[in-house]
Amino acid sequence: YAGNMFEGNIAEIIFYNDKMSSSDLEKITTYLSIKYGITKDASSGDYVSSSGSVIWDATANASYHNRVAGIGLDSISGLDQRQSKSVHSNAYFTVGLGSIAATNSANANAFTADESFLVWGHNGSVEANTYDSDFGGENLSRINKIWLFEETGTVGTVEIAVSESDVTLVGCDKLYLVISSDETFDETDNMILMEHVGSNYTGQYDFSDGEYMSFVTYESHCGVALPDEEITFDEFCYRNEGTWAYYYHPDDDENLL
């Protein structure tokens, strides 16, 4: 248009020789959204594969339609997204097929079946990621968000990575993935200890369709003095299990004090 201009980056331009139907537009916007980690506006329809299968129902998942991202293989669309993170602020974590590499093309893990997807979104528009939700156990705090994961086809085990700059852990504190079959999280759910690797905390899990995920921190009180002692064991961690407590070294939690 005369007198108008665009200043910015354009990731991809797609040309067609015919007018696109509404169902075609859903497929195109799904391809772009999954590839670039951009959340589709819920009013623009569901996330669908090239065959028209719904991989994220925008209406049914309305309360989780925030920071939606995903990985997946769709040969007809030319999509092979092996790792992804929402481009929106406070997306918090990256998901990779099997592992997370420096780039998507560098991820050597391959999907075993075409039209396989893992798509996720969280349950609120709160920007800050804070650990202020009660988890029911002493020294345990859950992040103020829950993510819903929808699987189509067969994805398998994925790696989830959180940058150490996005979570505050002191001394022997731990970060856990918590997986639940429903939206109620407690200590009976599957807790997976995340390992500190380089500048990230990482954990692996094979999601089933419709599972929920959150994060929990465990405050272990490193450097607490032993009762009735005048010295402080700075290199040891303190753990309170409710009915009993003990001290342990972070590199050897088999030999307790």
Side-chain angles (χ1 to χ4, degrees):
Y1 298 98
N4 295 307
M5 61 178 294
F6 172 78
E7 183 176 353
N9 297 318
I10 298 176
E12 189 166 341
I13 298 175
I14 305 174
F15 292 94
Y16 293 92
N17 61 2
D18 200 358
K19 182 179 180 180
M20 296 294 99
S21 66
S22 58
S23 60
D24 288 332
L25 288 173
E26 279 192 344
K27 298 173 185 177
I28 296 166
T29 55
T30 295
Y31 158 80
L32 292 169
S33 297
I34 296 293
K35 186 173 182 178
Y36 297 106
I38 301 170
T39 302
K40 283 182 61 175
D41 191 296
S43 64
S44 68
D46 300 324
Y47 284 63
V48 296
S49 69
S50 60
S51 66
S53 299
V54 175
I55 63 174
W56 178 267
D57 190 317
T59 301
N61 299 332
S63 58
Y64 285 87
H65 199 85
N66 302 285
R67 305 294 189 264
V68 179
I71 59 174
L73 175 67
D74 195 327
S75 298
I76 292 178
S77 294
L79 178 69
D80 188 0
Q81 195 65 36
R82 303 182 182 188
Q83 58 189 52
S84 184
K85 179 180 182 178
S86 170
V87 299
H88 304 287
S89 61
N90 294 310
Y92 203 64
F93 60 87
T94 301
V95 175
L97 179 64
S99 61
I100 297 171
T103 63
N104 184 70
S105 59
N107 189 326
N109 301 296
F111 290 96
T112 58
D114 197 13
E115 290 200 36
S116 292
F117 298 90
L118 186 66
V119 184
W120 60 91
H122 72 66
N123 66 336
S125 58
V126 178
E127 285 297 319
N129 296 306
T130 58
Y131 283 82
D132 55 10
S133 296
D134 179 48
F135 193 63
E138 186 171 351
N139 304 331
L140 295 171
S141 298
R142 185 175 61 77
I143 199 171
N144 60 345
K145 293 184 178 72
I146 296 172
W147 285 264
L148 170 64
F149 281 74
E150 297 279 19
E151 182 183 36
T152 302
T154 304
V155 173
T157 300
V158 298
E159 182 170 272
I160 298 172
V162 177
S163 171
E164 63 182 6
S165 63
D166 289 330
V167 58
T168 301
L169 298 179
V170 178
C172 308
D173 291 357
K174 304 296 184 183
L175 180 65
Y176 291 87
L177 285 172
V178 185
I179 311 297
S180 177
S181 59
D182 54 40
E183 298 169 278
T184 302
F185 282 79
D186 56 41
E187 291 176 274
T188 65
D189 291 320
N190 187 8
M191 296 182 65
I192 302 168
L193 178 64
M194 301 190 76
E195 297 183 5
H196 193 191
V197 180
S199 59
N200 295 307
Y201 292 94
T202 67
Q204 293 193 331
Y205 186 70
D206 184 356
F207 283 93
S208 296
D209 183 44
E211 286 191 303
Y212 298 85
M213 185 193 78
S214 194
F215 296 90
V216 166
T217 57
Y218 181 87
E219 186 179 359
S220 53
H221 299 298
C222 282
V224 177
L226 288 171
D228 302 319
E229 297 289 337
E230 296 181 355
I231 60 174
T232 297
F233 290 83
D234 292 322
E235 72 273 26
F236 286 92
C237 300
Y238 170 77
R239 178 173 293 166
N240 189 327
E241 300 289 354
T243 58
W244 59 288
Y246 57 87
Y247 291 80
Y248 68 96
H249 195 278
D251 296 328
D252 181 13
D253 60 4
E254 296 295 327
N255 298 307
L256 309 179
L257 296 179

